Amino acid sequence: MIGKAAIDVQALHKSFGDLEVLRGIDFVVGEGEVVCVIGPSGSGKSTLLRCVNRLEEPNSGRILIEGDDITDPDADVDAIRTRIGMVFQSFNLFPHLSVLRNLTIAQRRVLKRSKAEAEDIARQTLERVGLLDKINAYPAHLSGGQQQRVAIARALSMKPDLMLFDEPTSALDPELVGEVLEVMRKLASEGMTMMVVTHEMGFAREVGDRVVFMDEGVVVEEGPPEQVITDPQHERTRKFLSMVL
Amino acid sequence: MKRRQRQRLTRSVLYGLFALVIVGGAVLSDWQSISRAFLQPQIARDMFPRILTIAARNTIIFTISSFSLGLILGLLLALMKLSTIRPYRWFANVYIEIFRGLPALLTVLLVGFAIPIAFEGFRWRDCTIIPGCGTYGAGTVGLGIVAAAYMAETIRAGIEGVPKGQMEAARSLGMTRTWAMASIVIPQAFRLIIPPLTNELILLIKDTSLLFVLGTSDATRELTKFGRDFATDRFNGTPYIVVGIVYLMITIPMTRLVALLERRNRAAR
């Protein structure tokens, strides 16, 4: 762990009806750290990520975002969320708004930035993902890879302290995966705190500071990518990796 | 006989019968008395310009005002139906069940006559919420609350048709639920439901004919009442035909528009 905790998950439980998806998770992401969460589908990794900004309501446990308890009933969830950027598997761009408006709407309404400032920041972040020329396009006219890069830019334009990625390349055609990973790689190298749920083992190994393997609602194993991916300690990790590598 | 031949024979016999009925009907009809009763050019001419400046205008005013009221109430009911607060859902369900289950005519009568009786001293004529109120007010409220019941279901379906990820993306950017609903979900929902809403508008155009029961004055008559008055006055059927043509001149372009919008919606997906 590098520096203090950006995300500190303590004894987290989450059930959907009778199905217990998270069974006591303790999980930390340090400031500036890139943590990749891997595991079979149904292991609870996406649910864990969605609990971090409370898109899912945990049943018990605490989640501290830079020290602030987002699970506290009195917490200003909307304010804390502005510090957490989120990128979805299905992009979730707003199809009725142009790329520029996608990037400015929350800046203006939530952060109360002026129109000029919001558009300035939008242009800068689009430049970072290499899509400044698409500023006036509508999402439907972009490829999947471009849409996901715009979605990353939308999250970045809020100037968040940390970023959550929920299988950001799983909905993409294989030839479009690279451009999204490239943007994420750059982001990581600039020191962004990132929690990435992914199936991209190459990315996890190369970019991740730490890899966490989850199965059946618990953290089975975690450590440096080299160790977890090439020399897993647990049988379940070995079985999973032998299937995906 | 082979199957193909038999088929061809049946089809020819059916065509023959059809033509016989049409031609026979045309020959046997008394065209003179028909045209005397329904197609008198002079009576038709006499209806202008008032059929447009008063009757069609009022039909359009009633339609637009009750559609607007229905849209606002319908959106409110749709949001109540989707609410997590149970009494809101109950209220919306009961409202929708009642006003979809009652004849629109009965609701119009209730609003137009029962309310003034129930609330002594209240007269639609005196109500000043809507300028030039009176019949306009009663008609708008009567048809509007019926339209709301139908539109609520359409709008709810539209809101539920917007992918859940849209709300999640908006919330993840720190927007409140209300803001996300208003600026992200509802605009997309309305795009989905423009065709069914236009259908609702066409139904409303036709339902404005029910408002004759409000005993509308000369100036507030809509098309059907205007035609009826004219027909009674001249003791002739021509006004009904003319009024029918004016209705069709409004409704047919709109049904075409719906078809066009539906094609475009399908193409966009």
Short mmCIF file of all heavy atoms in Angstrom, two decimals, chain B residues 12 32 37 72 124 208:
data_model
loop_
_atom_site.label_atom_id
_atom_site.label_comp_id
_atom_site.label_asym_id
_atom_site.label_seq_id
_atom_site.Cartn_x
_atom_site.Cartn_y
_atom_site.Cartn_z
N SER B 12 -62.44 -15.61 -57.68
CA SER B 12 -63.21 -14.87 -58.69
C SER B 12 -64.65 -14.70 -58.23
O SER B 12 -65.24 -13.62 -58.38
CB SER B 12 -63.21 -15.61 -60.03
OG SER B 12 -61.99 -16.19 -60.27
N GLN B 32 -80.56 11.13 -55.74
CA GLN B 32 -81.12 12.47 -55.60
C GLN B 32 -81.42 12.80 -54.15
O GLN B 32 -81.02 13.86 -53.64
CB GLN B 32 -82.39 12.58 -56.44
CG GLN B 32 -82.15 13.43 -57.66
CD GLN B 32 -83.44 13.71 -58.39
OE1 GLN B 32 -84.46 13.04 -58.18
NE2 GLN B 32 -83.40 14.68 -59.25
N ALA B 37 -80.02 15.23 -48.94
CA ALA B 37 -79.90 15.14 -47.48
C ALA B 37 -78.48 15.41 -47.00
O ALA B 37 -78.28 15.90 -45.89
CB ALA B 37 -80.36 13.77 -47.02
N ILE B 72 -49.15 16.81 -17.80
CA ILE B 72 -48.58 17.18 -16.49
C ILE B 72 -49.05 16.21 -15.41
O ILE B 72 -48.25 15.65 -14.67
CB ILE B 72 -48.97 18.63 -16.14
CG1 ILE B 72 -48.32 19.61 -17.12
CG2 ILE B 72 -48.56 18.96 -14.71
CD1 ILE B 72 -48.92 21.00 -17.08
N TRP B 124 -68.04 27.18 -13.08
CA TRP B 124 -66.91 27.17 -14.02
C TRP B 124 -66.80 28.52 -14.70
O TRP B 124 -65.71 28.98 -15.03
CB TRP B 124 -67.09 26.07 -15.05
CG TRP B 124 -66.77 24.73 -14.49
CD1 TRP B 124 -67.66 23.74 -14.16
CD2 TRP B 124 -65.48 24.22 -14.15
NE1 TRP B 124 -67.00 22.67 -13.64
CE2 TRP B 124 -65.66 22.93 -13.62
CE3 TRP B 124 -64.19 24.73 -14.23
CZ2 TRP B 124 -64.61 22.15 -13.19
CZ3 TRP B 124 -63.14 23.96 -13.81
CH2 TRP B 124 -63.36 22.68 -13.29
N THR B 208 -63.06 15.45 -27.77
CA THR B 208 -63.59 16.80 -27.51
C THR B 208 -65.04 16.89 -27.95
O THR B 208 -65.77 17.76 -27.50
CB THR B 208 -62.78 17.89 -28.24
OG1 THR B 208 -62.73 17.56 -29.63
CG2 THR B 208 -61.38 18.02 -27.69
#
